[in-house]
Amino acid sequence: MNKKRLIAFAMAGLMTMSVALTGCGSKGEEKKDTAKDGEVVTVTWCVYGDKKEDLDKVIDDLNEKIEEKINVRLNLDVIPQGEFSDKMKLKSTAGEDYDMVFTSNWLNQFSENMSREAFLPLDDLFAEYGQDIAEIVPKWLLDVGYVNGELYAIPNQQIEARQLGIAIQKEYADKYGFDKTSLKDVREIEPFLDQIAKNEPDKFPIDMRVTPVLEAGYEDIVKTTAPAGNVPDCVVMKKGDESCTAISINDVVADELRFENDWYQKGYIRQDIATVVDNTADVKANRYVCTMTAYKPGWDAEFTNRQGVEYITVPIEGAYVKAVSGAETMTAFNVNSKHPEEAMKLLNLVYSDKEIYNELLFGIEGEHYKKTGENSVEVIDSTKYDFSGYGWMLGNQFNAYYLPGQAEGVWEQTDELNRAAEVSPLRGFVFDPSNVQSQIAQVGSVVKEYANGQYTTNDIEAYIAERSEKMDQAGLQDIVDEVQKQIDEWMANQK
């Protein structure tokens, strides 16, 4: 195994596995079998989801078009989400032949696959057969698929920039004269929330799904919650910090906890927050006048369509692309793929060809969907075929037809938001948690123990001090030190 390859796996979590991996570098090369001239190759693409009744029928029809364009056929292997990670691990360890696979930081995890040397380096393939993807995808988005300078996964294009926003039921915005089109600070909405708290006893002023004070200034680097979560709770970095200094959550969380306590005391947060396990029924019943979460273009139409009453949405200024943005949904290649060249040709086609991409999402026109406009459709029978809910997993979502409730131009606006956002200087860094797994688990236990206590406590300062002490005792500083060590090593390799 060459030195560069070994370093790449060290960055992805192979610090303790070098002996077991000796000699694995040529694993993918042994089984490659370039197609003969004129031979039609079938590429197997493993994704998760619900396998629909007409999947084979759609793929057969789609393959006629794909074969005509690139002399390749697709075998879409759809695996239930609950089985996906385990099945892909078995396929990988058994040396099974498949070509492409969905990977992320939360399902079929990228770092775990790298530790098994399961993925193929893609630089040469991408340069030769991925030209359309290269033209479409911003360089900063591709960065998340690199490990120590080598490309191992292609991120799918969707909403990447993180921007907070508030969705508000229009009836109440009109009633109380709320007419802002954007907010610079979340506290600007307080006069409106006051009106709801005082005059609408059957409503909750706001559903808080984010930590707005923290997120205004920091991005999360390590979380004890699920990787796909958005609540910083362990190690963070100041947004835009070129020195990439790791910060303990204890050093910055106090203002967030005070803010949440203040809003609870003012009646903006439902008073039974400490005991509510599931608020789904209240959400569906539109009992929350406002919802604060991540903003994206077209959000108001989606909220209105989903909730059944009209909503307006108000962004809170400051869009940001985090270090890990894009890692939530990527496509990697099996190191045992027999036809990696054809696989890259297929991914490039799906990423760039609107007709191919949309048939993969919606099925056959007139049978599974009907056109309602040049770029808009309506699903006829989702039980037969409908993969549109997974558009973000299959390449370039900005090529998707619009569904009812989605406003024309949303994809262009989303792309613009992504490209205009500030980009983290830590793009491309992959944290290996293996040296501090026990500390992360212990800190996570403290986070759970103190969850929602900031709302109901009568002494917020005592609560903050007690919580911080417990976090430190659980090993929080060990995690910070390990993160900084790995960041420093990563930055040294960027020079």
Side-chain angles (χ1 to χ4, degrees):
M1 183 184 298
N2 62 53
K3 183 177 179 182
K4 186 175 182 182
R5 183 87 162 120
L6 180 59
I7 292 173
F9 287 114
M11 288 298 293
L14 292 184
M15 298 177 182
T16 62
M17 299 180 64
S18 57
V19 174
L21 293 175
T22 302
C24 294
S26 61
K27 184 178 178 184
E29 297 175 2
E30 294 171 1
K31 291 194 175 185
K32 290 177 188 175
D33 181 18
T34 303
K36 298 176 182 178
D37 290 344
E39 180 184 350
V40 179
V41 168
T42 296
V43 168
T44 297
W45 189 355
C46 298
V47 298
Y48 84 87
D50 300 317
K51 187 173 182 178
K52 298 292 186 175
E53 182 179 332
D54 282 357
L55 175 64
D56 292 341
K57 183 177 185 178
V58 171
I59 297 301
D60 284 345
D61 183 78
L62 191 60
N63 274 333
E64 292 182 12
K65 302 178 178 69
I66 295 174
E67 185 176 340
E68 183 179 346
K69 290 173 182 286
I70 59 171
N71 208 38
V72 171
R73 295 181 69 85
L74 166 64
N75 171 34
L76 191 68
D77 188 2
V78 182
I79 302 168
Q81 181 176 347
E83 304 172 13
F84 189 70
S85 291
D86 288 341
K87 281 199 170 184
M88 294 317 304
K89 183 175 182 179
L90 287 173
K91 286 176 180 286
S92 176
T93 54
E96 187 172 328
D97 176 32
Y98 65 91
D99 300 288
M100 298 192 295
V101 62
F102 172 79
T103 185
S104 70
N105 59 357
W106 59 278
L107 187 71
N108 190 33
Q109 291 191 357
F110 181 62
S111 59
E112 290 183 8
N113 278 281
M114 291 297 293
S115 73
R116 295 193 301 272
E117 202 170 14
F119 290 159
L120 191 70
L122 301 176
D123 296 85
D124 293 341
L125 291 168
F126 186 67
E128 188 167 357
Y129 303 113
Q131 300 97 329
D132 293 326
I133 300 176
E135 289 183 8
I136 294 167
V137 178
K139 174 61 171 64
W140 56 258
L141 179 53
L142 278 177
D143 283 348
V144 79
Y146 281 86
V147 176
N148 198 46
E150 288 190 282
L151 182 64
Y152 284 90
I154 309 293
N156 300 314
Q157 184 150 255
Q158 54 161 338
I159 178 69
E160 306 293 352
R162 175 78 175 178
Q163 182 173 17
L164 298 184
I166 300 175
I168 305 169
Q169 291 189 44
K170 188 175 184 299
E171 173 188 351
Y172 296 95
D174 292 344
K175 183 176 180 178
Y176 296 108
F178 184 87
D179 61 358
K180 290 181 179 292
T181 56
S182 67
L183 301 174
K184 290 186 176 180
D185 189 286
V186 66
R187 293 176 181 83
E188 293 176 28
I189 201 171
E190 288 190 357
F192 176 67
L193 297 180
D194 274 332
Q195 294 291 325
I196 304 301
K198 292 174 183 176
N199 301 310
E200 304 294 340
D202 295 330
K203 298 289 184 180
F204 303 125
I206 194 164
D207 182 12
M208 295 272 291
R209 304 182 185 180
V210 291
T211 49
V213 176
L214 268 179
E215 291 200 40
Y218 301 91
E219 65 172 300
D220 50 284
I221 305 302
V222 178
K223 293 191 292 288
T224 67
T225 50
N230 287 305
V231 178
D233 66 7
C234 190
V235 181
V236 299
M237 184 184 83
K238 190 173 180 61
K239 286 183 176 179
D241 177 16
E242 295 291 339
S243 70
C244 298
T245 301
I247 302 173
S248 163
I249 194 68
N250 278 355
D251 294 343
V252 296
V253 76
D255 285 344
E256 177 68 45
L257 298 174
R258 293 185 188 108
F259 167 81
E260 293 174 9
N261 178 263
D262 179 53
W263 272 27
Y264 179 85
Q265 299 298 331
K266 289 177 177 177
Y268 305 161
I269 308 296
R270 61 186 300 166
Q271 296 301 286
D272 59 351
I273 185 70
T275 59
V276 174
V277 177
D278 184 357
N279 71 344
T280 303
D282 291 322
V283 170
K284 288 183 177 179
N286 290 303
R287 292 197 67 193
Y288 294 97
V289 173
C290 303
T291 300
M292 186 188 302
T293 184
Y295 171 85
K296 61 180 180 179
W299 198 31
D300 46 0
E302 289 186 28
F303 250 89
T304 298
N305 188 58
R306 183 173 69 239
Q307 296 296 129
V309 299
E310 190 171 358
Y311 275 79
I312 62 170
T313 55
V314 183
I316 299 171
E317 294 179 14
Y320 189 80
V321 175
K322 298 192 294 184
V324 296
S325 295
E328 302 91 345
T329 168
M330 303 187 290
T331 301
F333 285 35
N334 179 15
V335 72
N336 293 307
S337 169
K338 290 182 179 179
H339 303 295
E341 294 87 357
E342 288 77 13
M344 185 61 78
K345 289 179 183 178
L346 177 61
L347 183 62
N348 187 71
L349 181 69
V350 172
Y351 220 107
S352 58
D353 190 302
K354 191 167 184 174
E355 178 189 13
I356 298 296
Y357 175 78
N358 279 290
E359 181 163 347
L360 190 55
L361 262 58
F362 297 105
I364 300 169
E365 184 178 358
E367 186 170 349
H368 301 113
Y369 74 92
K370 62 181 179 180
K371 296 288 287 290
T372 56
E374 183 179 354
N375 292 302
S376 58
V377 300
E378 187 175 309
V379 174
I380 295 174
D381 185 355
S382 62
T383 63
K384 293 287 187 180
Y385 191 89
D386 179 16
F387 221 65
S388 62
Y390 299 97
W392 46 266
M393 182 171 56
L394 299 169
N396 180 12
Q397 192 176 29
F398 299 160
N399 275 333
Y401 292 141
Y402 295 111
L403 286 163
Q406 289 182 311
E408 287 274 351
V410 162
W411 300 136
E412 290 82 2
Q413 294 168 23
T414 304
D415 188 29
E416 183 179 344
L417 178 65
N418 283 346
R419 293 175 186 274
E422 181 182 3
V423 178
S424 170
L426 201 57
R427 289 291 297 178
F429 171 73
V430 178
F431 176 63
D432 170 21
S434 58
N435 291 336
V436 286
Q437 289 282 23
S438 62
Q439 291 95 324
I440 291 174
Q442 291 163 12
V443 169
S445 295
V446 176
V447 171
K448 291 178 182 177
E449 178 186 353
Y450 283 83
N452 291 338
Q454 70 273 23
Y455 296 115
T456 57
T457 180
N458 292 320
D459 189 341
I460 187 63
E461 298 305 324
Y463 168 88
I464 292 170
E466 181 180 302
R467 182 183 186 275
S468 295
E469 183 178 1
K470 287 277 191 74
M471 295 277 278
D472 284 335
Q473 291 172 351
L476 178 56
Q477 191 58 47
D478 291 343
I479 305 171
V480 175
D481 292 344
E482 179 65 20
V483 171
Q484 191 63 63
K485 175 186 174 183
Q486 292 187 31
I487 287 176
D488 291 344
E489 292 172 351
W490 174 80
M491 291 183 70
N493 286 329
Q494 306 309 300
K495 297 176 181 178

